[in-house]
Amino acid sequence: MKLPNGYGSVHKLSGKRRKPWAVRKTTGWEIKNDKLVRTYKYIGYYPTRQEALQALAEYNANPFEYPDISFAEVYEKWSAKKFEEISKSNINGYQASYKLCSAIYDIKFADLKLAHLQTVVDNSKKAYPTLKKLKVLFNQLFDYAVMNEIISKDKHIVEYVNIGKAEKSNKHYRFTDEEIEIIWSWANGNEYVQVILMLIYSGVRPGELFSLKKSNVNLNEKFFYIEKGKTINAVRKVPIHNRTLPFFSHWMNKPGEYLITQLNGKEFKFATNHGQYTESYWRPILLDIGILNYVNNNGEIKEHMPDDTRHTFTTMWKEKKLDESMRRKIQGHSGKGIGEMVYTHYELEKLREELNKL
């Protein structure tokens, strides 16, 4: 049956193909080799003629779904479904990445080139972690566009976007002695300031403290037990410094299963959402205290991050020339002869004695 004029056409491509039936519409005319020829836009490719005709009918009923759709429209359609399946924190991350793309919102998705995406990256002035999330968004949108036949698979160009490499770790900076004294001066009035000192004087990873259950804290013997870790060395007893013992006692007297909780009493899920602690607790506290920023070795102004507490512990320990093997045990580092999941009472006392020299 002949299709109506302007409706589009379906034709079979040559050779052996998984989807040999092509759907296309005439977009205009041009001169080639002194002849007037049609120009087309291809809507998609299908296994059977019937599926191709169905796709052509759907396109004519709602052409918005296909090649004329813009970057912003693809994002809206993708996010409408995606955001029903993911957490609020992940939604916030995608929305933040999308805001960086304003320069390409109105460009037809099928017309996007590598240069468009690279310009978004280059003009963002963002660091590698943010650009990594941006590239994830690009991948998600291009996957969606391919699956919905907005573009062909060979136009999935995201892998070629250059976001640089993660900086080698010089990102953790010691809190100075002066800054630590300032933190101490605020500790009595803010229990979350106390948490910073609990981190500094235990040397544990922030995630280890925030996942610590009260059942693994022994105030009488002044230690807490890390029951899970990436290595056997990370599973360990950690002595409690005498100066921070009152803080542990304070938090033990609060309700809940976990030692450190949010203002609403809920667990800090630091491993999967460390940004929530950083943005809602860490940064506001250090900003109020006046010690959020520091100047690094390159003269750049940076912000202290939660992992700086662990680095501070390590640096303080080395500055005082304390026993290095004991530090490695306390911090759960790997190394020959270091991994000991259970200490005797005597060994724990020796670790605490060395710790209290800080």
Side-chain angles (χ1 to χ4, degrees):
M1 183 176 66
K2 181 175 171 49
L3 298 174
N5 289 337
Y7 188 81
S9 63
V10 169
H11 69 284
K12 192 173 185 180
L13 303 173
S14 61
K16 293 184 177 180
R17 302 169 184 262
R18 189 168 61 88
K19 296 181 177 181
W21 290 94
V23 177
R24 67 186 185 184
K25 291 200 71 165
T26 299
T27 57
W29 299 83
E30 63 181 28
I31 302 292
K32 282 189 177 180
N33 299 324
D34 296 326
K35 292 183 178 180
L36 187 64
V37 297
R38 293 175 187 266
T39 57
Y40 299 97
K41 64 178 178 182
Y42 280 81
I43 296 169
Y45 304 88
Y46 302 89
T48 67
R49 184 173 185 275
Q50 185 59 40
E51 288 175 286
L53 287 169
Q54 179 64 32
L56 180 58
E58 291 176 358
Y59 174 78
N60 281 295
N62 186 11
F64 174 77
E65 291 285 338
Y66 289 86
D68 290 339
I69 189 171
S70 69
F71 178 88
E73 290 166 335
V74 169
Y75 173 82
E76 290 300 325
K77 288 186 169 291
W78 165 81
S79 61
K81 183 176 181 181
K82 183 71 174 180
F83 287 2
E84 294 178 352
E85 305 167 351
I86 59 178
S87 67
K88 178 61 177 174
S89 61
N90 283 334
I91 291 173
N92 291 340
Y94 280 126
Q95 289 175 334
S97 295
Y98 178 65
K99 288 179 181 178
L100 299 176
C101 303
S102 58
I104 61 173
Y105 283 171
D106 297 328
I107 297 177
K108 292 180 181 179
F109 206 95
D111 291 342
L112 284 171
K113 308 295 183 188
L114 176 61
H116 292 124
L117 305 187
Q118 194 62 55
T119 298
V120 170
V121 169
D122 295 343
N123 290 345
S124 71
K125 307 299 182 185
K126 299 296 183 180
Y128 177 83
T130 300
L131 296 180
K132 187 176 180 180
K133 294 177 182 178
L134 175 60
K135 192 168 182 178
V136 169
L137 175 64
F138 284 158
N139 264 312
Q140 292 275 334
L141 296 182
F142 272 76
D143 285 346
Y144 177 89
V146 170
M147 288 187 291
N148 288 276
E149 298 177 326
I150 296 167
I151 60 171
S152 58
K153 193 172 183 180
D154 64 328
K155 289 191 175 183
H156 197 312
I157 54 176
V158 178
E159 64 178 298
Y160 304 109
V161 176
N162 181 10
I163 60 172
K165 296 181 179 179
E167 295 181 5
K168 291 185 178 179
S169 182
N170 57 356
K171 62 182 179 180
H172 302 315
Y173 266 70
R174 179 204 197 283
F175 283 98
T176 66
D177 291 341
E178 181 182 1
E179 287 173 332
I180 294 173
E181 286 304 312
I182 292 173
I183 297 172
W184 276 109
S185 71
W186 282 66
N188 288 335
N190 190 317
E191 60 188 3
Y192 291 100
V193 174
Q194 297 173 9
V195 173
I196 299 173
L197 293 168
M198 291 161 73
L199 286 166
I200 290 176
Y201 284 86
S202 66
V204 297
R205 300 169 181 87
E208 291 175 328
L209 186 64
F210 289 120
S211 62
L212 182 64
K213 296 179 180 179
K214 291 178 179 177
S215 57
N216 286 326
V217 179
N218 189 324
L219 292 179
N220 291 329
E221 297 189 34
K222 302 178 184 178
F223 75 85
F224 57 92
Y225 179 60
I226 305 296
E227 62 180 351
K228 292 181 181 179
K230 293 182 179 179
T231 68
I232 190 173
N233 307 97
V235 178
R236 65 202 189 277
K237 289 180 179 178
V238 179
I240 298 174
H241 196 287
N242 286 344
R243 292 188 71 185
T244 62
L245 184 62
F247 304 154
F248 278 86
S249 179
H250 166 78
W251 281 98
M252 285 290 287
N253 287 325
K254 294 172 68 70
E257 178 184 7
Y258 290 88
L259 180 68
I260 309 297
T261 56
Q262 302 178 53
L263 285 168
N264 60 10
K266 294 184 178 180
E267 173 194 0
F268 276 110
K269 295 183 178 180
F270 192 86
T272 57
N273 190 13
H274 63 271
Q276 185 223 17
Y277 169 72
T278 302
E279 296 299 328
S280 299
Y281 294 84
W282 175 271
R283 184 171 283 125
I285 287 172
L286 293 193
L287 195 60
D288 282 346
I289 293 176
I291 60 170
L292 177 62
N293 296 323
Y294 64 87
V295 179
N296 68 11
N297 293 338
N298 297 322
E300 301 167 322
I301 298 177
K302 300 290 184 179
E303 290 186 358
H304 278 300
M305 298 302 290
D307 281 331
D308 287 357
T309 58
R310 183 169 166 86
H311 179 72
T312 299
F313 177 93
T314 301
T315 306
M316 290 167 58
W317 193 282
K318 292 181 176 181
E319 287 171 350
K320 289 185 176 291
K321 296 181 171 56
L322 302 179
D323 188 290
E324 189 66 10
S325 65
M326 291 190 180
R327 178 189 68 80
R328 295 178 69 83
K329 285 184 179 181
I330 291 172
Q331 291 194 288
H333 284 300
S334 60
K336 186 177 180 180
I338 298 300
E340 295 182 21
M341 293 172 62
V342 180
Y343 307 133
T344 66
H345 179 76
Y346 173 77
E347 289 171 321
L348 194 57
E349 281 296 322
K350 294 297 290 183
L351 290 177
R352 186 181 303 107
E353 180 181 334
E354 197 75 357
L355 174 65
N356 282 321
K357 293 176 183 178
L358 288 181

